[in-house]
Amino acid sequence: MAEPLGILPLRSFRDTVDKEQFTAARRDPRARVVSKQSFDEMKSHLLELYGDLDAEHSFEDPAGAEVDCVPIESQPSLRGTDGTIAVAPDLGPVLRGEPPQVPAQQAPRAPVNFHRRDRHGNEVYVPSGTIPIRRVRLADMARFATLSDFMRKSAGPSPVPPSAPDPDTGKNHRYAYTHQTVDNIGGHSSLAVYAPTITSDQVFSLAQHWYSGGTGNAHQTLEVGWQVYPAKYGHANPVLFLYWTADNYQSTGAYNLDSAGFVQTNSAWTIGGALSPVSTKGGQQFEMEHAAYLFGGNWWVYAGGTSSSDALGYYPTSLYSGGQMASKATEITYGGETVTSAVGWPAMGSGEFASAGWQQAAYQRNLYYYPTGGGAQWAGLTAEQPSPACYTLQLGAAAAPWGVYFFYGGSGGGNC
């Protein structure tokens, strides 16, 4: 196996993690880790996460993040299991009112070649039988106060009265979103991908799906979409992200593959990896198509389509510990979310308000959900724009390929 050019091999990377010291990490002006104890917890988590993993190939993504291609059966989420990997259902028949079609077995995972080389000269490809995993570095984690802060996303959409940023970042989430209370086993939309600017005093801007159920501390979610989050990812590019929580963002849940949970089955996508190209105002629009579907005891997530081969992977329902999401969701939500830390809220979507419309404002289209009884239904959504001075949303419906859709976004500011 050839060593990657300009990238520390994964096995050597583990050795450097083991040797890293709190005092050295704190010299980075971006570091926020609060104590040696918190730093050591981060270190222990990384050493456990990567364990005895080895990569068959490594390369850098467009934003400079290291990506390791590891055997699919060795991924952290399969440790402690018998190694059986579920087979994804094809959701095409569901739109015709038929049951999902399940292949007899997963198609062989052929190499995925992106036909380019990274800045070091490494070929950007994923060998057969492996999945690409974005490497999490201790320096990434040390930009957060604690390990739990690194893992946590915080509560989902709720109306918030306009106010200036609060010292408690948890109070600084702002939204423009649509929702429907309905029993469901998933849903679908295509999201325009943009790259809103996030300053050093801001946290993130995203667009996503939420599938959720339960109330209070029993609130549970599955979330998927794109996100610009420089403190977490170390760059200003949008990334494909996942998130889950089983206890209202308290002690469970994690982004992407940052902790065991999501079982990735698709070699064509790097979860947490930079997305390119992105949409431009007044120009070409680039989309991500996502779906979620509960089948066979797993919440499947799809990217780029809804066929079996488009399945990104799955969250086992055992993660929800018998809570609402172990059997179905009761709410579907689609929209945008931003967070700030000190000065003002960042742009959402393209930075244009919903009224700017096509090729100017960001959008989601072709929104439908999967009822518990089978088939698919157009979403009957309610629009919420709790911070209209900063972010707006306009719902609509049209012929294919739009279906139920909405434009959303805004410039942000200091009084959202």
Side-chain angles (χ1 to χ4, degrees):
M1 182 187 318
E3 298 289 339
L5 302 171
I7 300 174
L8 200 62
L10 182 57
R11 58 184 178 278
S12 301
F13 167 72
R14 287 196 306 272
D15 294 337
T16 66
V17 170
D18 199 28
K19 296 173 182 175
E20 290 195 52
Q21 299 296 318
F22 172 64
T23 51
R26 286 291 296 173
R27 295 191 190 111
D28 185 335
R30 300 170 298 173
R32 297 291 182 270
V33 59
V34 294
S35 66
K36 183 179 182 301
Q37 179 182 350
S38 293
F39 182 78
D40 288 344
E41 289 174 352
M42 293 173 177
K43 181 191 291 189
S44 295
H45 175 78
L46 272 192
L47 292 173
E48 180 181 357
L49 181 67
Y50 292 120
D52 57 357
L53 274 184
D54 206 355
E56 293 190 13
H57 179 62
S58 299
F59 58 86
E60 282 191 357
D61 75 6
E66 296 97 344
V67 177
D68 298 303
C69 303
V70 306
I72 186 170
E73 66 275 5
S74 299
Q75 62 183 294
S77 294
L78 289 176
R79 287 195 191 119
T81 73
D82 63 6
T84 301
I85 299 170
V87 179
D90 185 334
L91 303 185
V94 179
L95 296 182
R96 302 189 295 269
E98 302 169 6
Q101 194 170 58
V102 185
Q105 61 183 16
Q106 185 68 53
R109 295 172 181 84
V112 176
N113 196 320
F114 294 94
H115 303 291
R116 63 179 178 85
R117 293 184 180 270
D118 68 14
R119 64 185 178 122
H120 303 294
N122 297 298
E123 189 176 5
V124 180
Y125 85 102
V126 183
S128 176
T130 71
I131 56 168
I133 296 180
R134 176 186 175 273
R135 186 184 298 181
V136 179
R137 298 170 297 179
L138 204 47
D140 300 330
M141 304 179 77
R143 291 195 289 268
F144 295 79
T146 65
L147 177 61
S148 62
D149 285 342
F150 175 75
M151 296 291 182
R152 185 177 298 120
K153 181 173 180 286
S154 195
S158 61
V160 180
S163 65
D166 192 281
D168 180 357
T169 304
K171 298 179 181 178
N172 292 336
H173 290 243
R174 298 295 183 264
Y175 305 90
Y177 65 100
T178 61
H179 64 106
Q180 181 179 356
T181 300
V182 61
D183 288 351
N184 69 91
I185 53 172
H188 172 278
S189 87
S190 293
L191 308 81
V193 180
Y194 274 91
T197 299
I198 309 295
T199 71
S200 60
D201 292 315
Q202 298 166 344
V203 180
F204 69 62
S205 183
L206 62 74
Q208 70 169 76
H209 300 194
W210 289 264
Y211 301 95
S212 60
T215 59
N217 290 338
H219 181 65
Q220 302 183 329
T221 73
L222 179 161
E223 306 173 33
V224 58
W226 62 260
Q227 177 182 50
V228 179
Y229 194 171
K232 180 170 180 62
Y233 301 106
H235 58 76
N237 301 66
V239 306
L240 161 62
F241 86 95
L242 299 171
Y243 197 86
W244 73 279
T245 179
D247 63 354
N248 201 34
Y249 307 89
Q250 293 187 104
S251 60
T252 65
Y255 277 105
N256 308 326
L257 304 181
D258 293 354
S259 184
F262 188 78
V263 178
Q264 185 171 346
T265 61
N266 193 316
S267 304
W269 296 86
T270 302
I271 300 170
L275 297 168
S276 180
V278 300
S279 303
T280 56
K281 287 192 291 185
Q284 190 167 357
Q285 304 297 292
F286 291 94
E287 300 179 341
M288 294 170 59
E289 181 182 4
H290 283 306
Y293 193 78
L294 176 59
F295 180 83
N298 299 306
W299 277 101
W300 286 93
V301 178
Y302 294 74
T306 59
S307 70
S308 180
S309 61
D310 294 317
L312 187 58
Y314 57 91
Y315 284 114
T317 54
S318 57
L319 293 172
Y320 296 105
S321 302
Q324 181 60 72
M325 288 287 287
S327 59
K328 64 182 177 182
T330 57
E331 186 90 8
I332 55 173
T333 308
Y334 307 89
E337 176 183 4
T338 67
V339 186
T340 191
S341 59
V343 178
W345 280 267
M348 178 187 290
S350 70
E352 295 290 337
F353 289 100
S355 59
W358 170 243
Q359 290 188 312
Q360 297 295 327
Y363 63 85
Q364 291 192 39
R365 66 174 181 84
N366 208 20
L367 288 122
Y368 56 82
Y369 71 93
Y370 299 107
T372 55
Q377 295 285 334
W378 288 115
L381 299 165
T382 299
E384 305 284 358
Q385 44 183 26
S387 301
C390 296
Y391 312 116
T392 58
L393 186 147
Q394 292 183 353
L395 267 171
W402 282 86
V404 174
Y405 70 89
F406 60 84
F407 288 103
Y408 73 102
S411 56
N415 184 28
C416 294

